[in-house]
Amino acid sequence: MNQLRASLSKLRLLQIAMIVAIPMFGQVAEMARHTGNNSRTLWHWVVASVALYIAFAGSRFRRRMLTRAATSLAKDASDPKAIKQWEVANMVPMAFAENIALCGLLVRMLLGGAFWEASLFYSVSLILLLYWTPRLPTALAQS
């Protein structure tokens, strides 16, 4: 159980670092890019579609892996393989959410999108990072 709590602390620290990185991405994009335009090209829609796919893939991955890890941890809470599986089930979706913020950076810097377009990606990334906060499995949290 102590290993699981240590992993939870590590994951929450990673989550905080990712949340802090999102405004930094926005700042970098604003320093490197001047005024944007509101004309959207096919590439804007491609990036938006990729971000949507990333969000759905992260959600599906997280649900499948957390279910599997929770089942393993319910049997033996000190199993290192189950703990690693639980870590991965929490870490990978957070990386997916961070990639959505990078899509916003791409829209703003390379595609010349307006700030409001990029801020949509930043906001979705932040919301997903907060929604996918690492938590102990419910069976273990109650004991």
Side-chain angles (χ1 to χ4, degrees), residues 4-20 62 86-87 90-91 94 129-137 141:
L4 198 58
R5 291 196 189 279
S7 294
L8 179 65
S9 299
K10 182 173 65 171
L11 286 170
R12 290 214 172 136
L13 186 62
L14 178 67
Q15 179 192 25
I16 290 169
M18 287 181 167
I19 288 171
V20 168
R62 185 174 193 272
W86 177 81
E87 273 185 22
N90 281 290
M91 193 178 308
M94 288 192 302
L129 277 170
L130 292 174
Y131 182 67
W132 290 339
T133 297
R135 295 174 188 87
L136 289 175

Side-chain angles (χ1 to χ4, degrees), residues 36-80:
N37 56 28
N38 285 325
S39 63
R40 281 172 282 298
T41 64
L42 175 65
W43 287 109
H44 287 84
W45 295 108
V46 168
V47 172
S49 299
V50 167
L52 188 62
Y53 177 77
I54 289 170
F56 282 124
S59 178
R60 182 171 165 85
F61 179 87
R62 185 174 193 272
R63 187 176 342 113
R64 289 177 71 195
M65 291 296 289
L66 276 179
T67 303
R68 189 180 305 161
T71 304
S72 299
L73 286 170
K75 292 177 186 171
D76 182 15
S78 62
D79 181 22

